[in-house]
Amino acid sequence: MATYTPSIPTPSPSIAPPPPSQTHAVAPMEDSLAQYEEQYEDYGQYEDQSYAGGLDTSMAGAEGNKGAVVHTTSLQELDDQISAMMRKSVDQFGAKCWECLNCGKTCVGKNDIARHVESTHIDSPGISCHLCGKISKTRNALRNHVYSVHNVKNAF
């Protein structure tokens, strides 16, 4: 019986180095960094000055950005106020849409305009998460919180 001996191929050389004419020379590095130093003006005259005004973090007056703000206390009251601030309408192209009565914004979807009204024109004390107690400004923010933090879909 004949025995089989596999032939072991001889290793082929890897990629050959480039010929000397194709190598790149690296310029020698200078010992001095003087060529890289930059000149800066002296701003010392400002060292003793400080900002005398205070930063107002109270957000007083920020409600002016909301237009007509409505204050709510219950979810039913919130729904009623949102409904009172929107109506069915027709846009400039004749397409049916929902319109915000406060600012004129239009959306195709009723939920979209309701979310706009709640987040822009209604001032609510916030809605508490039933799982951890975090206060969210809107129901949509609470829904996003419950899903992303507690991994619960369709909580309400």
PDB file of all heavy atoms in Angstrom, residues 19 36 44 79 89 149:
ATOM      1  N   PRO A  19      11.625  49.359  -4.368  1.00  0.00           N
ATOM      2  CA  PRO A  19      13.000  49.648  -4.763  1.00  0.00           C
ATOM      3  C   PRO A  19      13.460  50.962  -4.127  1.00  0.00           C
ATOM      4  O   PRO A  19      12.645  51.816  -3.798  1.00  0.00           O
ATOM      5  CB  PRO A  19      12.950  49.756  -6.280  1.00  0.00           C
ATOM      6  CG  PRO A  19      11.518  49.758  -6.659  1.00  0.00           C
ATOM      7  CD  PRO A  19      10.728  49.302  -5.495  1.00  0.00           C
ATOM      8  N   TYR A  36       8.214  77.083  15.993  1.00  0.00           N
ATOM      9  CA  TYR A  36       6.798  76.854  16.242  1.00  0.00           C
ATOM     10  C   TYR A  36       6.214  77.770  17.307  1.00  0.00           C
ATOM     11  O   TYR A  36       5.031  77.744  17.560  1.00  0.00           O
ATOM     12  CB  TYR A  36       6.561  75.400  16.661  1.00  0.00           C
ATOM     13  CG  TYR A  36       6.955  74.438  15.581  1.00  0.00           C
ATOM     14  CD1 TYR A  36       8.088  73.656  15.710  1.00  0.00           C
ATOM     15  CD2 TYR A  36       6.199  74.321  14.427  1.00  0.00           C
ATOM     16  CE1 TYR A  36       8.464  72.773  14.722  1.00  0.00           C
ATOM     17  CE2 TYR A  36       6.571  73.447  13.425  1.00  0.00           C
ATOM     18  CZ  TYR A  36       7.707  72.675  13.574  1.00  0.00           C
ATOM     19  OH  TYR A  36       8.066  71.811  12.589  1.00  0.00           O
ATOM     20  N   GLY A  44      -3.188  91.262  30.103  1.00  0.00           N
ATOM     21  CA  GLY A  44      -3.117  91.444  31.537  1.00  0.00           C
ATOM     22  C   GLY A  44      -4.036  92.535  32.062  1.00  0.00           C
ATOM     23  O   GLY A  44      -4.433  92.525  33.217  1.00  0.00           O
ATOM     24  N   ASP A  79     -56.784  67.947  28.633  1.00  0.00           N
ATOM     25  CA  ASP A  79     -57.393  67.530  27.364  1.00  0.00           C
ATOM     26  C   ASP A  79     -58.402  68.562  26.866  1.00  0.00           C
ATOM     27  O   ASP A  79     -58.447  68.877  25.672  1.00  0.00           O
ATOM     28  CB  ASP A  79     -58.080  66.176  27.520  1.00  0.00           C
ATOM     29  CG  ASP A  79     -57.088  65.026  27.591  1.00  0.00           C
ATOM     30  OD1 ASP A  79     -55.976  65.167  27.042  1.00  0.00           O
ATOM     31  OD2 ASP A  79     -57.425  63.989  28.193  1.00  0.00           O
ATOM     32  N   SER A  89     -59.144  72.280   9.907  1.00  0.00           N
ATOM     33  CA  SER A  89     -58.967  73.383   8.976  1.00  0.00           C
ATOM     34  C   SER A  89     -58.592  72.835   7.602  1.00  0.00           C
ATOM     35  O   SER A  89     -58.524  71.618   7.402  1.00  0.00           O
ATOM     36  CB  SER A  89     -57.863  74.315   9.496  1.00  0.00           C
ATOM     37  OG  SER A  89     -57.760  75.462   8.699  1.00  0.00           O
ATOM     38  N   VAL A 149     -36.387  54.791  29.994  1.00  0.00           N
ATOM     39  CA  VAL A 149     -35.789  54.492  31.289  1.00  0.00           C
ATOM     40  C   VAL A 149     -36.296  53.176  31.861  1.00  0.00           C
ATOM     41  O   VAL A 149     -35.530  52.360  32.370  1.00  0.00           O
ATOM     42  CB  VAL A 149     -36.034  55.650  32.287  1.00  0.00           C
ATOM     43  CG1 VAL A 149     -35.545  55.296  33.673  1.00  0.00           C
ATOM     44  CG2 VAL A 149     -35.372  56.918  31.791  1.00  0.00           C
TER      45      VAL A 149
END
